[in-house]
Amino acid sequence: MATRTVGGNAAFHNFHNDYAHIADPNERRRLALAEIDKAPFGWYHVRAILVAGIGFFTDAYDIFAIGIVTTMLGIVFWQGTSAKGSIPANADTAIKAATSGGTVIGQLGFGYLADVVGRKRMYGLELIIIIFATLAQSLASESKSITIVGVIVFWRVLMGVGIGGDYPLSSVITAEFATTKWRGAMMGSVFAMQGIGQFAAGIIALIVTVGFKESLLTAKTYATCSGVCGLAVDKMWRVIIGFGAVPGCIALYYRLTIPETPRYTFDVSRDVVKAGSDIKAYLHGNAEGVPDEISRVQAMRETAPQLEVPKASFRDFCHHYGQWKYGRVLLGTAFSWFTLDVAFYGVGLNNSTILTNIGYGKGPNVYEALYNIAVGNIILVCAGAIPGYWVTVATVDTIGRKPIQLAGFVILTILFAVWGFMYHRLSESGLLAIYVLTQFFFNFGPNATTFIVPGECFPTRYRSTSHGISAASGKVGSIIAQVAIGSLRTRGATKTNANPWLNHVMQIYALFMFLGIFSTLLIPETKRLTLEQLAGEVPGTPQYDPDNGRGMARADSDPSQREEQMMAEKAHQDV
């Protein structure tokens, strides 16, 4: 039995004593984690959602604002050239793909480090990188030795590293602090801030366009937007990019001061006293528990060897995922995210191009053209993306993750097939309707669930690494969409038709959505199951694996020990 501390309990709750009566560290772990899993939804859950969600707001803003900004870059830096105020396709692709390239590095690197050194030590660092790189982009300019494309690509790769780090960290931290009943809604709410970020990008673009209206009205086309018009557009794209640093600055303090997740402290740090104290503190709205350090060190020395949750190691990682029942889950989450992002980013990063092709990115002058692009983006996000995100939040803990993802892939396959094979038969209104529907079913479908499931279905010791691998697979898909597939849209371009192959690109996206149906069959349903159940650590459940759950089984396997623990717990409650 752990040593109880005395004194001070009248003024401050002594979190250490809440579990001091439990002798078996595995039982203390089980009881402590049960408090998080069964806790009623409260302010501490809202706070976790907001701290993680603001980061995703920033991520989405920075990623999708570039679709509007590249049009402006063409006006400013390709004025008076053969491109006539339009950014060349290769430069457009390089700028958009650069973020995804950096994101892959960030997802793999931060995902691994969060499992090695802890979630707390890494959280906030990714936001510092994003803020710094965003501000640097907004101040960038070309010179005789380097083009504007080279400068922006460099800073967007660095920004992508920070954005990539946010994916595994925010998902895993939210999952490990969440109550089991509403874990899907909490994680979905964090991810839904992407929709708000996309909306904000459109709003800021609209505000700066209206703000420079008089200057923009002086030019009829992009090719003639020079002088005051060109100066206005140069200021506009810098404001749009620079604003992305503002929400990150607001969230930075809260990320740097967030406590370590108790599950990591239990299973990786193997500090039973600190983890139990942190759980009590978290549920009481405090930053973290402050147990007696002497008792804590003594308990670590005595209890750490008794914790039978497997320790993380490269050999254990290979053994764990070398088993098909675990390897197929990682394959399912990774390949599902890959197939999704081919189409999601292929469409999302080319909103301006698609809006122009369906008749919503044109105008009699530069002001009207940029105004319509901004308004078109806002309409698309409000009509499709934002409702899709929040319908997922409302239903993911009742319908389940797997049915939403499976149905989403099926419907998206049909929509992209219609878009691709009937492109020349549909009116502009019909094309707009299909675009809105694809945005809705992306987000009430695989875009949300591919983020949620990898944060739940892996053991604590590899949860962040596995989420990073899954997310990085998605960003590889987005790079392929931009570099290999997206560039096909301009094949055979003429003066009257700049994107003659756009319909064939949509057909390719339909194929990837079809493949996503089969990868979804590899993932488990995680609805209303604890993270320990999903990791196979709870005896008596279908997921139980003795290799993972020896520690959880120990208290249940010895009836006399279990009865002793229950009597001790009741005596503690009576006191």
Side-chain angles (χ1 to χ4, degrees), residues 163-205:
I163 290 174
D166 204 17
Y167 276 75
L169 284 167
S170 290
S171 174
V172 167
I173 287 172
T174 304
E176 291 180 353
F177 274 124
T179 174
T180 301
K181 185 177 182 181
W182 302 115
R183 187 177 61 239
M186 287 181 63
M187 298 177 73
S189 296
V190 169
F191 198 65
M193 292 302 289
Q194 277 201 340
I196 308 300
Q198 290 175 255
F199 175 76
I203 288 292
I204 298 300

Side-chain angles (χ1 to χ4, degrees), residues 58-77:
T58 303
D59 298 345
Y61 181 96
D62 290 334
I63 290 173
F64 291 99
I66 200 65
I68 302 171
V69 165
T70 50
T71 301
M72 299 178 181
L73 290 174
I75 296 173
V76 176
F77 296 99

Side-chain angles (χ1 to χ4, degrees), residues 282-296:
Y282 171 69
L283 297 178
H284 283 77
N286 299 330
E288 61 180 318
V290 186
D292 179 77
E293 286 299 317
I294 296 176
S295 300
R296 177 187 175 190

Side-chain angles (χ1 to χ4, degrees), residues 191 198 336 339-341 343-344 347 380-392 395 399 401-416 419 432-450 513 516-517 520:
F191 198 65
Q198 290 175 255
S336 294
T339 58
L340 164 75
D341 276 6
F344 181 73
V347 172
L380 294 177
V381 171
C382 291
I386 292 178
Y389 280 117
W390 291 103
V391 170
T392 297
T395 60
I399 296 177
R401 287 69 153 157
K402 193 170 182 177
I404 290 175
Q405 181 166 314
L406 189 62
F409 272 127
V410 170
I411 295 171
L412 287 168
T413 301
I414 296 170
L415 289 172
F416 277 112
W419 194 347
L432 182 62
I434 289 179
Y435 188 96
V436 170
L437 287 173
T438 59
Q439 290 299 308
F440 179 82
F441 286 106
F442 269 138
N443 299 302
F444 179 44
N447 191 40
T449 55
T450 51
M513 295 301 94
I517 295 173
T520 300

